[in-house]
Amino acid sequence: MELLEGAPVALGGPRGFAVTRTLPNRQRRMVGAWCFLDAYGPHDLSAAGDAGMRVGPHPHTGLQTVTWLVAGEVLHRDCLGNTQEIRPGQLNLMTAGRGISHSEETPASHSAVIHGVQLWVALPHADRDMPPAFAHHEDLPVVADGGLSATVLIGTFAGATSPARSHTPLVGAELTLAAGASARLPLSADFEYAVLALDGAADVDGVSLKPGPLLYLGAGRTSVSVSTGSASRLLLLGGEPFAERLVMWWNFVARDHDEIVHMRADWVAGTPRFGEVHGYDGPPIPAPPMPITRLVPRGSTR
């Protein structure tokens, strides 16, 4: 078990929307195919002039984005023509494949608080150049047992399977525990797992977990115990260890440095690869300069 501390990041610059990034991490870059995890909030939007989330049009390749909210709303727009507002209990799943661009923002009419997570899933080599796609899922399976309720975002958990399409063996589930609840969660020995506290605090196999760090549980487990004194909400992530070596830079997932160079050049040049996002009130996000050294493909650990 490893407790992975997150790093504070401001989306859109020093005064941008504040998130805590726990994947990729210094010690561990991935959990299964999960390769990116930003948690944000609860963020109070009642202050005058606080526009909440405003992430202008930007590109992605070689991955899926998974958006999950605990509170608030996010408006998604993409170059495929999709405009979709997401609320708690719903899932937005965008598959970048060979290339897509999108924007995300707090809508004009919104709740007082925003709280959620943004995740990426690396696509395996066989699917990384597939056509881009977007899916919105409002009806997700829920498993309840005593004081535990589990909503299955993706994959299969406790016999319930999400309609969201994944391209590697994967699972993501939100676990809601009532005050004083305890449960033993079924796991697959072929998967590695991690747990993030979204709200409250819980004991996970003897480790006290509060919002902030990501608790890596490793592989080979068939179950894990969770308990809580007060009402809590956890995010369970898991998947078969991802064997391929990746280059992750800016918003791209690729296999070598030269691929990243070409992806960046296509975004800068405005080629058809990433299309155009319509309806967002603001400019696209410019690509940062390439690093002075070559990017090296890496595995799931550093």
Side-chain angles (χ1 to χ4, degrees):
M1 298 173 72
E2 304 169 15
L3 200 59
L4 308 176
E5 296 292 340
V9 177
L11 300 182
R15 297 185 179 180
F17 192 73
V19 304
T20 299
R21 183 164 298 165
T22 50
L23 285 179
N25 197 279
R26 287 182 180 180
Q27 299 100 312
R28 184 164 300 278
R29 301 175 76 236
M30 302 177 71
V31 177
W34 299 100
C35 62
F36 182 93
L37 171 53
D38 274 358
Y40 49 88
H43 187 81
D44 185 0
L45 301 181
S46 61
D50 192 336
M53 179 183 295
R54 278 189 58 81
V55 183
H58 59 280
H60 287 292
T61 59
L63 57 85
Q64 292 178 292
T65 65
V66 176
T67 304
W68 183 256
L69 292 177
V70 176
E73 304 83 17
V74 172
L75 180 61
H76 161 98
R77 292 186 176 93
D78 64 43
C79 64
L80 303 179
N82 297 296
T83 300
Q84 179 65 58
E85 186 171 308
I86 182 176
R87 298 181 177 90
Q90 304 173 357
L91 179 75
N92 273 4
L93 179 66
M94 187 182 75
T95 303
R98 62 174 174 256
I100 197 171
S101 61
H102 74 135
S103 65
E104 291 178 297
E105 62 182 312
T106 299
S109 177
H110 58 78
S111 305
V113 174
I114 185 170
H115 184 191
V117 289
Q118 178 73 52
L119 307 111
W120 295 356
V121 178
L123 290 172
H125 180 77
D127 299 301
R128 68 192 186 101
D129 289 325
M130 67 181 292
F134 174 81
H136 174 75
H137 298 283
E138 295 188 6
D139 188 15
L140 296 169
V142 178
V143 179
D145 182 12
L148 170 71
S149 176
T151 302
V152 186
L153 284 63
I154 195 166
T156 299
F157 176 76
T161 301
S162 167
R165 184 186 179 192
S166 62
H167 297 265
T168 58
L170 201 69
V171 67
E174 183 193 72
L175 313 174
T176 303
L177 292 93
S182 63
R184 182 159 287 276
L185 310 178
L187 304 180
S188 170
D190 295 333
F191 281 19
E192 57 181 349
Y193 289 91
V195 179
L196 182 77
L198 297 173
D199 198 11
D203 181 284
V204 182
D205 252 13
V207 177
S208 179
L209 188 62
K210 297 180 180 180
L214 179 69
L215 178 62
Y216 177 71
L217 300 177
R221 293 173 175 262
T222 57
S223 66
V224 64
S225 65
V226 295
S227 61
T228 182
S230 58
S232 301
R233 193 186 306 262
L234 307 175
L235 182 66
L236 175 71
L237 303 174
E240 285 189 357
F242 198 82
E244 299 176 32
R245 298 177 70 81
L246 303 175
V247 174
M248 292 186 285
W249 180 82
W250 193 37
N251 298 311
F252 304 135
V253 173
R255 296 308 187 273
D256 61 42
H257 177 93
D258 293 335
E259 286 184 355
I260 294 288
V261 171
H262 293 150
M263 293 167 181
R264 181 188 181 280
D266 282 344
W267 176 248
V268 171
T271 70
R273 177 177 193 165
F274 295 111
E276 186 176 353
V277 178
H278 298 283
Y280 181 83
D281 184 18
I285 297 176
M290 287 294 299
I292 58 174
T293 58
R294 287 185 65 85
L295 300 166
V296 178
R298 300 183 186 277
S300 60
T301 58
R302 291 191 184 275

